[in-house]
């Protein structure tokens, strides 16, 4: 019915959407959208290092994103600058260093557009195994860390008092984000990863009555966006990655229409987690 490449793209994209849904919810609850961007931008530095030292691309991106996360945690502890200022510095520095390094490597042919916007139609069966294998791992980790992550999102002091180690939960969350970005880069690209993290979760928030339902809904909405975006891209001959984001945006706009009752997620997740991360 469809070409093999389209079926592979669909399977990989849906796997990715299911994985990033719950993570996206935590990004929204913790007000860490800018953090997601910073991690994604650091991916290009990972690409440059992998080309320079002939390393595995995914491993290289994961290591750089993890190092950027740890740098952020260390700089936050020093408290000299606000978190959003630190994120701005790290994000643009990592992206720019990556671009400068790539420019110096004249012996390497690099498809920058491919890395920035991904190429979901070029995924191989090995990529699908990676997406689903890595995705299952990430989802198991989220289920295992759900209570400490949620508690530290709602009230870090209370989570600390209950012995749930919110700092450690936060570190694990950042490492999971680094892993997802490493997996997602080839499929949706550096610039579109954050959209897939945030837009489905923001759409799910409108209908969810509990944090768990919001996490599941975010995955479902992400999968719908991937499906709609890919079919749209096939029909209108538009680039696949941006088409998926446009489909996600369309679903978000639909969710704003005044029908049904708004979910009670706000009562379940109080925005007491102070400050802008």
């Amino acid at each position: 019915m469809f070409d093999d490449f389209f079926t592979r793209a669909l399977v990989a994209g849906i796997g990715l959407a299911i994985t990033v849904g719950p993570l996206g919810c935590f990004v929204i609850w913790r007000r860490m959208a800018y953090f997601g961007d910073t991690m994604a931008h650091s991916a290009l530095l990972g690409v440059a290092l992998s080309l320079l030292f002939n390393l595995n691309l995914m491993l290289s991106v994961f290591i750089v994103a993890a190092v950027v996360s740890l740098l952020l945690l260390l700089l936050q502890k020093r408290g000299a600058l606000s978190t959003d200022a630190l994120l701005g510095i790290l994000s643009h520095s990592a992206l720019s260093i990556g671009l400068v390094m790539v420019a110096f490597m004249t012996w390497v042919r690099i498809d920058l557009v491919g890395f920035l916007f991904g190429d979901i139609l070029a995924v191989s069966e090995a990529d699908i195994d990676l997406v689903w294998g890595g995705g299952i791992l990430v989802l198991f980790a989220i289920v295992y860390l759900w209570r400490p992550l949620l508690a530290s999102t709602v009230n870090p002091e209370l989570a600390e008092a209950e012995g749930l180690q919110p700092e450690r939960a936060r570190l694990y969350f950042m490492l999971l984000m680094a892993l997802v970005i490493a997996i997602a880069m080839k499929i949706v690209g550096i610039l579109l990863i954050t959209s897939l993290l945030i837009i489905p979760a923001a759409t799910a928030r409108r209908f969810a009555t509990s944090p768990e339902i919001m996490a599941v809904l975010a995955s479902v909405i992400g999968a719908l966006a991937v499906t709609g975006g890919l079919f749209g891209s096939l029909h209108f001959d538009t680039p696949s990655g941006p088409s998926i984001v446009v489909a996600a945006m369309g679903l978000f706009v639909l969710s704003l229409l005044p029908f049904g009752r708004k979910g009670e997620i706000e009562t379940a997740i109080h925005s007491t987690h102070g400050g802008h991360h």
Side-chain angles (χ1 to χ4, degrees), residues 237-256:
D237 196 26
T238 51
S240 50
S243 300
I244 290 170
V245 178
V246 170
M249 188 65 216
L251 290 171
F252 175 70
V253 171
L254 279 176
S255 80
L256 297 177

Side-chain angles (χ1 to χ4, degrees), residues 7-251:
T7 310
R8 281 199 300 271
L10 208 53
V11 171
I14 288 170
L16 185 63
I18 291 168
T19 307
V20 299
L23 271 181
C25 294
F26 281 107
V27 169
I28 282 186
W29 295 332
R30 288 169 170 251
R31 300 178 187 172
M32 289 174 79
Y34 202 16
F35 170 72
D37 252 349
T38 303
M39 298 277 276
H41 286 168
S42 72
L44 193 67
L45 180 53
V47 171
L49 288 170
S50 89
L51 292 170
L52 187 60
F53 297 111
N54 205 10
L55 300 168
N56 174 286
L57 180 65
M58 196 181 133
L59 183 67
S60 182
V61 169
F62 171 71
I63 289 168
V64 170
V67 167
V68 168
S69 302
L70 294 171
L71 256 177
L72 176 66
L73 284 176
L74 289 171
L75 290 168
Q76 277 179 326
K77 279 201 164 61
R78 291 189 62 184
L81 282 169
S82 66
T83 301
D84 58 344
L86 289 172
L87 285 170
I89 293 165
L90 287 171
S91 171
H92 302 305
S93 303
L95 186 62
S96 303
I97 294 168
L99 286 166
V100 168
M101 280 177 70
V102 167
F104 273 115
M105 287 187 276
T106 47
W107 64 93
V108 176
R109 295 276 302 160
I110 178 169
D111 174 20
L112 262 186
V113 174
F115 283 119
L116 293 174
F117 296 101
D119 189 1
I120 193 167
L121 297 177
V123 296
S124 62
E125 286 183 11
D127 292 331
I128 290 176
D129 293 343
L130 196 72
V131 167
W132 280 91
I136 288 165
L137 208 105
V138 168
L139 290 173
F140 269 123
I142 291 171
V143 169
Y144 180 71
L145 293 167
W146 185 262
R147 194 162 162 259
L149 270 175
L150 197 61
S152 62
T153 301
V154 177
N155 191 328
E157 290 79 19
L158 196 62
E160 186 78 60
E162 286 181 16
L164 289 172
Q165 296 174 309
E167 277 299 307
R168 186 183 288 184
R170 184 155 191 242
L171 176 64
Y172 289 153
F173 169 72
M174 287 177 162
L175 291 175
L176 285 176
M177 284 277 287
L179 181 60
V180 161
I181 281 160
I183 293 170
M185 185 187 64
K186 184 170 183 180
I187 297 177
V188 287
I190 291 164
L191 297 181
L192 304 179
I193 292 169
T194 329
S195 317
L196 207 55
L197 267 168
I198 292 164
I199 302 174
T203 310
R205 190 176 198 160
R206 173 86 168 78
F207 306 105
T209 49
S210 75
E212 292 78 10
I213 289 173
M214 179 166 155
V216 172
L217 274 179
S219 289
V220 172
I221 290 163
L224 283 174
V226 166
T227 309
L230 280 175
F231 276 101
S233 139
L234 189 70
H235 187 72
F236 299 109
D237 196 26
T238 51
S240 50
S243 300
I244 290 170
V245 178
V246 170
M249 188 65 216
L251 290 171

